[in-house]
Amino acid sequence: MNAIFDEVDDMQLSHVAYILATIHHETGGTFEACREGFHNKPKTHANALKAVAWLYRHKKISTNYALPQKNGKCYYGRGLVQITWYDNYKKLSKHVGVDLVRYPDRALDLDIAVRITVVGMVKGLFRKGKSLSKMLPEAPTTTQWKRARDIINGDIKKNGPVIGRKAVRFLLALEASQTVHDEVEKPKVVKKTIKKKKKESLLGSIRHWFRRR
């Protein structure tokens, strides 16, 4: 969460909440950058290939996108939002300043994984035209929370509601932590945004809020 807060300074709280909820969902609640099939142990390159092959064999996906490309690299899901396919690695490389095509495992580095997640969701790079600003206002409705899943994946019916509910919880925690910080230090802050100086207070307050619930 510290790494995420460093990347989301001054962002609208509903957007921060949805980023947190998305990462929570995509990493199985660990907040750790991981390979596809992270539920398999050990969490290796070989097991990631097996996970995608299993999906293809059971017709969960139409193409085995984990097969090696001409350069010998495999572009299965990596990171906090599981970026896949060669074209997506190439596109994200330009936006995060790292050659993910040549070094796809760099998407597993925490700082880079966070950068990929945030810039991808802010600019709508994962699904064309689907960005945080277009999908989520400051006070989203239940339907808007649900449909925001389209920023990352088209499985809105399957995963939209559960991620939306997580986002609501994160938003409540962020708002509660902001209130606690304001009462203690009385700083001049912009409503509905996060400042770097509040990072530690936010992290502690979120953990406390979630433990109580």
Side-chain angles (χ1 to χ4, degrees):
M1 285 188 179
N2 283 335
I4 296 168
F5 289 151
D6 282 340
E7 196 71 26
V8 299
D9 280 348
D10 299 325
M11 282 183 64
Q12 187 173 295
L13 284 194
S14 63
H15 294 176
V16 178
Y18 200 77
I19 288 172
L20 291 169
T22 296
I23 293 174
H24 186 277
H25 175 80
E26 296 287 337
T27 63
T30 67
F31 282 89
E32 295 177 356
C34 54
R35 301 178 191 274
E36 189 158 357
F38 61 84
H39 52 280
N40 295 326
K41 294 183 179 181
K43 301 174 182 180
T44 61
H45 172 76
N47 276 340
L49 296 178
K50 290 178 181 178
V52 180
W54 185 92
L55 291 173
Y56 177 66
R57 191 165 59 251
H58 290 81
K59 298 182 179 180
K60 305 290 183 179
I61 55 177
S62 59
T63 303
N64 186 345
Y65 49 77
L67 293 176
Q69 301 298 300
K70 292 180 180 180
N71 62 2
K73 306 296 183 179
C74 301
Y75 300 101
Y76 53 76
R78 292 178 178 86
L80 294 171
V81 291
Q82 302 289 289
I83 58 170
T84 57
W85 298 90
Y86 170 88
D87 288 345
N88 286 327
Y89 276 79
K90 183 178 180 179
K91 177 170 56 179
L92 267 300
S93 293
K94 298 176 182 178
H95 289 273
V96 301
V98 176
D99 189 351
L100 298 172
V101 172
R102 188 175 181 183
Y103 305 106
D105 274 356
R106 292 295 304 278
L108 295 169
D109 295 347
L110 180 59
D111 289 345
I112 295 172
V114 171
R115 204 181 313 156
I116 289 170
T117 302
V118 175
V119 73
M121 295 180 74
V122 168
K123 295 187 176 183
L125 302 177
F126 299 121
R127 289 173 62 80
K128 189 174 182 180
K130 308 293 183 180
S131 65
L132 286 166
S133 62
K134 290 183 178 180
M135 302 295 290
L136 286 175
E138 186 173 294
T141 64
T142 299
T143 298
Q144 287 170 325
W145 281 123
K146 175 183 175 181
R147 290 179 177 172
R149 175 59 177 168
D150 206 18
I151 297 169
I152 298 292
N153 196 298
D155 58 353
I156 301 171
K157 187 174 182 180
K158 178 182 178 182
N159 290 315
V162 64
I163 299 174
R165 288 193 293 271
K166 289 179 181 181
V168 170
R169 294 192 69 198
F170 276 115
L171 180 60
L172 290 172
L174 288 166
E175 291 177 336
S177 67
Q178 189 173 58
T179 299
V180 169
H181 187 275
D182 289 350
E183 290 176 350
V184 173
E185 297 189 16
K186 302 293 184 182
K188 293 181 179 180
V189 298
V190 179
K191 189 177 181 181
K192 301 294 184 183
T193 64
I194 289 180
K195 299 293 185 181
K196 268 190 178 179
K197 62 184 178 181
K198 296 168 55 182
K199 181 179 64 175
E200 293 303 328
S201 175
L202 280 168
L203 181 58
S205 297
I206 286 175
R207 286 173 174 164
H208 177 67
W209 193 91
F210 267 82
R211 281 198 297 269
R212 289 192 294 112
R213 284 160 176 77

